[in-house]
Amino acid sequence: METPITVVILAAGLGTRMRSKRAKVLHQAGGMPLIEHVAATALALAPPDRVFVVVGNQAEQVETALDGRGVQFIRQAEQRGTGHAVMVCRERLENIPGFLVVLYGDCPLLSAETLRQLIDLEQRSGAAATVITTMLEDPTGYGRVLRDENGCIRAIVEHKAASPEELAVREINSGIYCFRSELLWKHIGEIGTNNPAGEYYLTDIVEILRRNGHAVRPFLLSDPVEVLGINTRAELAAVDRILRERKTRELMLAGVTIEKPETVTIDAQVQIGMDTVIEPFARILGATVIGEDCRIGACSIVRDSRLADRCEVAPFTFVDSSELETGARVGPYARLRMGAHIGAGAQIGNFVEVKKSRVGAKSKSQHLAYLGDAVIGEGVNVGAGTITCNYDGAAKHPTAIRDGAFIGSNSTLVAPVTIGEGSYVGAGSVITEDVPAEALALGRARQVIKEHWARKRKAVKTP
Ligand code: UD1
Ligand code: CA
């Protein structure tokens, strides 16, 4: 029979060392709040009704960040230490048998695989608890692990409370534990506040369990990377870099070409298909999904967007909350936003902005245009400098350009207006009325020629 696993994630602290108005666990690494990384790992071990997040500072925001994951929340109104954070869970959890895994919300690199090994070790050893430890070159700030003659943990001393000999110990407490629930709840009340910070330290449970005749075992990780805790923004940046490296590596192994991967930023949830090429300094963010055989140009940003196969985003282009159908090409220097939808094989060129508009298959707007609140059919040519005047100062109005229409350069389309199928708009026109299908619309002053005007002007000037 599978032993039931319950996970508690401590995430109530503010994280003073971040020097931030925002709670530490809400800061992002790898494009996701720290707490989301930890929750995702927890959910790989236990169902959502067995994952409990202890919240306090900015509790609502932390709960919102985990919206939709189905996990449980327990409030710690006052943050009186990691031991106290577990104590406030007692009422809800003390009758759940099995193993209790405690995670800290500021430790996002930990893998579910390592936690499975931790639980396995705890189960096989029969100890009261197993603690993940590791050796650090510079253990400053971490709790030090003191072993007894049998290799069990005798005590964990916090940096602030450690003696010079204890400070020399390089084995540190990761803050990740697997407890036998029954023993934890039986003894948790014995944790006191007799330390320089006057806090309830969860780490004191080690000595307490020993005093009551139970062993606590270490699970020493040879690679410390997974248990790096974040306390400062410098540590946040270091962890962010590791997460980015993991992501680009994972994508490269799945068949994506990434040029100069160390310059590329790709968020955790992004999906990219085989044989797509990502050029240097690209940023691919949020819930973006990119198909196969695409190319994302240097210094482009693609956020919360969907690209089908064979799309090209040329350099220095910003694609935000938009959609590209198969073979669409945008940029260089284009901006797509608020649900722009570019049809199959359509082309959007340099300095073209497309906002909340649909551009049909094989249509083109290659240079210097603004297309806002527009529905553009298939095979349309939008000339350089075309502007949809969608805003009258009070409200936004739609423009429709039907299939096969040709909009001459520098046209101004004053919405609401419809340009009929197969019609032409002469260059430089201001169009304020609907254009019927197949018609030619001219909305500009006729050209005037004044013969010999320059010579006459000179004659007037000379006395
Ligand atoms: C803690 C450990 C230390 C370990 C280190 C690993 C204790 C006493 N010390 O120290 O041995 O080496 O983590 O990173 O446990 N939290 C609450 N409520 C509170 C206090 C903290 O929910 O009242 C949460 C924080 O939000 C955070 C986590 O617990 O996610 C750890 O707290 P933090 O203050 O960062 O502990 P450290 O001093 O780093
Ligand atoms: Ca910490």
Side-chain angles (χ1 to χ4, degrees):
M1 200 193 94
E2 283 249 333
T3 322
I5 308 292
T6 303
V7 184
V8 170
I9 303 172
L10 306 190
L14 176 63
T16 321
R17 288 163 282 182
M18 292 295 278
R19 297 186 177 278
S20 175
K21 294 181 285 300
R22 199 154 23 122
K24 174 166 67 182
V25 296
L26 292 172
H27 281 262
Q28 299 212 340
M32 225 159 66
L34 301 181
I35 189 64
E36 258 201 273
H37 288 281
V38 181
T41 308
L43 287 167
L45 297 176
D49 61 340
R50 286 294 166 88
V51 174
F52 296 84
V53 185
V54 179
V55 292
N57 272 288
Q58 295 172 20
E60 291 85 12
Q61 288 95 317
V62 177
E63 291 179 16
T64 307
L66 294 176
D67 234 12
R69 298 233 180 217
V71 297
Q72 316 302 307
F73 297 98
I74 295 176
R75 292 278 173 119
Q76 184 194 19
E78 229 187 311
Q79 287 74 53
R80 302 174 67 191
T82 48
H84 183 254
V86 175
M87 286 175 188
V88 300
C89 300
R90 185 176 185 161
E91 218 174 289
R92 293 267 294 272
L93 304 188
E94 69 182 337
N95 293 321
I96 305 177
F99 293 97
L100 186 89
V101 174
V102 175
L103 307 177
Y104 289 176
D106 63 356
C107 188
L109 293 174
L110 185 72
S111 71
E113 184 43 43
T114 299
L115 286 175
R116 278 192 205 100
Q117 289 174 26
L118 170 74
I119 296 163
D120 193 50
L121 203 66
E122 164 63 26
Q123 235 167 335
R124 282 188 289 116
S125 78
T130 305
V131 181
I132 297 186
T133 71
T134 194
M135 296 290 195
L136 289 184
E137 277 310 320
D138 176 12
T140 308
Y142 286 91
R144 307 299 205 279
V145 173
L146 310 181
R147 304 254 201 143
D148 69 11
E149 57 288 354
N150 303 318
C152 287
I153 305 182
R154 175 160 60 78
I156 297 172
V157 282
E158 288 310 295
H159 185 100
K160 281 184 214 155
S163 68
E165 302 89 77
E166 289 165 346
L167 285 177
V169 172
R170 285 177 42 231
E171 186 175 12
I172 61 100
N173 167 31
S174 68
I176 298 145
Y177 321 81
C178 181
F179 292 99
R180 261 164 222 269
S181 299
E182 187 197 309
L183 289 174
L184 174 71
W185 298 124
K186 187 168 171 199
H187 296 292
I188 188 117
E190 296 165 39
I191 294 178
T193 56
N194 183 20
N195 56 62
E199 287 187 1
Y200 293 92
Y201 285 163
L202 179 58
T203 44
D204 287 354
I205 194 77
V206 174
E207 278 180 275
I208 293 166
L209 287 168
R210 269 181 79 87
R211 223 187 289 137
N212 288 280
H214 305 288
V216 177
R217 298 197 144 269
F219 171 26
L220 176 66
L221 288 189
S222 52
D223 182 3
V225 156
E226 271 196 53
V227 296
L228 289 180
I230 293 171
N231 293 313
T232 66
R233 295 201 200 223
E235 287 164 354
L236 182 71
V239 165
D240 181 68
R241 217 194 58 223
I242 292 166
L243 286 165
R244 302 294 179 191
E245 273 169 19
R246 275 192 192 170
K247 181 68 183 183
T248 50
R249 201 180 148 68
E250 174 194 305
L251 287 167
M252 289 188 286
L253 291 176
V256 177
T257 295
I258 304 182
E259 298 170 359
K260 296 214 172 71
E262 67 280 11
T263 67
V264 164
T265 304
I266 304 180
D267 281 355
Q269 293 126 297
V270 169
Q271 296 171 38
I272 305 179
M274 230 169 45
D275 290 319
T276 284
V277 177
I278 312 295
E279 295 179 4
F281 294 99
R283 293 170 63 80
I284 306 175
L285 310 174
T288 295
V289 178
I290 297 176
E292 297 186 356
D293 301 300
C294 294
R295 177 173 282 271
I296 308 299
C299 303
S300 287
I301 304 172
V302 180
R303 184 167 69 195
D304 294 329
S305 293
R306 198 189 64 81
L307 279 61
D309 297 340
R310 297 193 299 286
C311 290
E312 181 176 347
V313 174
F316 299 97
T317 293
F318 187 13
V319 177
D320 191 9
S321 308
S322 295
E323 209 164 313
L324 272 62
E325 300 281 7
T326 310
R329 285 173 50 192
V330 300
Y333 302 99
R335 181 180 183 200
L336 272 56
R337 61 191 181 101
M338 289 175 79
H341 185 114
I342 311 302
Q347 295 182 27
I348 299 297
N350 41 263
F351 306 106
V352 174
E353 177 180 352
V354 184
K355 184 222 108 183
K356 235 192 219 179
S357 293
R358 292 184 77 86
V359 176
K362 296 216 165 68
S363 288
K364 292 179 184 174
S365 176
Q366 295 279 44
H367 340 263
L368 305 155
Y370 172 59
L371 305 172
D373 303 299
V375 176
I376 297 168
E378 296 186 2
V380 168
N381 189 88
V382 176
T386 296
I387 305 288
T388 54
C389 306
N390 59 329
Y391 187 50
D392 60 11
K396 301 275 169 68
H397 302 286
T399 299
I401 305 177
R402 306 275 192 237
D403 293 352
F406 182 99
I407 312 297
S409 294
N410 229 32
S411 291
T412 301
L413 310 177
V414 182
V417 71
T418 297
I419 313 298
E421 190 171 332
S423 67
Y424 284 74
V425 170
S429 291
V430 176
I431 300 297
T432 54
E433 285 162 36
D434 289 354
V435 177
E438 304 291 324
L440 167 66
L442 294 167
R444 65 187 189 217
R446 179 175 289 279
Q447 182 172 323
V448 174
I449 301 284
K450 299 192 174 179
E451 296 280 1
H452 308 305
W453 183 86
R455 203 189 305 153
K456 282 180 204 158
R457 179 168 176 267
K458 254 183 234 159
V460 173
K461 269 191 178 170
T462 34

